[in-house]
């Protein structure tokens, strides 16, 4: 387990799929479904058979509730580059800076697992400026995924 983030009050936990507990995986799947399927009204199969290939980053509130989550992939799995995906903050924990903390920790997690490398993401278009603030740049045209505009973005090492 990682030490609590001094700036956000979340406890950051990094785990491979095989190291996750059943309650941790349930919390991650529930949060992803709550936001990506219900809140965004996007009917798609979030459980995509890739969780077992991913490393998982979880930010837990002092109450024990999962407040923030993302998953990280080695190069060659989702893209040729290291990949961060399923970046999500619970609606109950927004406007507290946890999104910034989550992405900062996800980038650090990538670097600790694979060394400093280019990171690729498939970002929802409305979050372009957010990702640009972390050094990501658009790579290609807008594309539609599950009814939502997305762009590929790269962050150089």
């Amino acid at each position: 387990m990682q030490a609590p983030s001094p700036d956000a009050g979340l406890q950051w936990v990094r785990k491979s799929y095989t190291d996750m507990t059943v309650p941790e995986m349930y919390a991650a799947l529930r949060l992803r479904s709550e936001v990506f399927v219900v809140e965004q009204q996007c009917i798609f199969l979030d459980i995509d058979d890739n969780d077992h290939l991913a490393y998982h980053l979880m930010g837990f509130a002092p109450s024990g509730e999962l407040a923030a989550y993302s998953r990280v992939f080695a190069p060659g799995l989702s893209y040729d580059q290291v990949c961060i995906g399923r970046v999500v903050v619970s609606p109950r924990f927004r406007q507290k800076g946890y999104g910034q903390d989550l992405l900062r920790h996800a980038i650090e997690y990538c670097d600790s697992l694979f060394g400093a490398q280019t990171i690729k993401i498939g970002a929802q278009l409305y979050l372009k400026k957010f990702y640009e603030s972390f050094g990501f740049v658009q790579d290609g045209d807008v594309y539609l995924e599950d009814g939502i505009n997305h762009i590929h973005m790269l962050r150089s090492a």
Side-chain angles (χ1 to χ4, degrees):
M1 267 192 192
Q2 300 298 309
S5 171
D7 51 312
L10 297 183
Q11 182 174 12
W12 294 98
V13 178
R14 301 171 172 185
K15 289 191 175 182
S16 68
Y17 174 80
T18 56
D19 290 333
M20 290 181 81
T21 65
V22 172
E24 288 169 338
M25 181 53 77
Y26 178 85
L29 295 174
R30 184 186 191 291
L31 176 57
R32 287 167 28 187
S33 180
E34 176 185 5
V35 173
F36 298 133
V37 178
V38 178
E39 179 183 303
Q40 295 182 352
Q41 299 179 6
C42 182
I43 299 172
F44 79 110
L45 187 59
D46 173 63
I47 302 171
D48 60 4
D49 290 328
N50 290 321
D51 287 306
H52 70 286
L53 302 172
Y55 294 90
H56 303 266
L57 174 64
M58 299 167 282
F60 289 96
S63 64
E65 184 176 356
L66 183 61
Y69 169 88
S70 69
R71 61 185 188 179
V72 170
F73 290 96
L77 293 176
S78 289
Y79 302 111
D80 291 338
Q81 302 86 355
V82 172
C83 171
I84 299 171
R86 297 296 200 268
V87 177
V88 61
V89 174
S90 168
R92 290 170 297 290
F93 293 95
R94 293 190 184 146
Q95 304 302 315
K96 300 176 186 293
Y98 293 160
Q100 290 86 356
D101 288 342
L102 172 61
L103 193 56
R104 182 173 45 80
H105 280 276
I107 292 166
E108 290 171 2
Y109 196 14
C110 288
D111 291 348
S112 72
L113 288 168
F114 311 113
Q117 295 189 37
T118 297
I119 299 171
K120 186 169 186 172
I121 60 173
Q124 293 183 5
L125 182 60
Y126 83 95
L127 291 168
K128 180 181 178 185
K129 289 192 184 311
F130 171 76
Y131 288 111
E132 285 175 338
S133 73
F134 286 89
F136 285 89
V137 295
Q138 184 171 342
D139 180 48
D141 296 328
V142 174
Y143 63 94
L144 199 60
E145 183 176 314
D146 300 314
I148 298 173
N149 286 328
H150 282 71
I151 53 173
H152 286 121
M153 299 186 82
L154 295 172
R155 181 182 187 272
S156 298

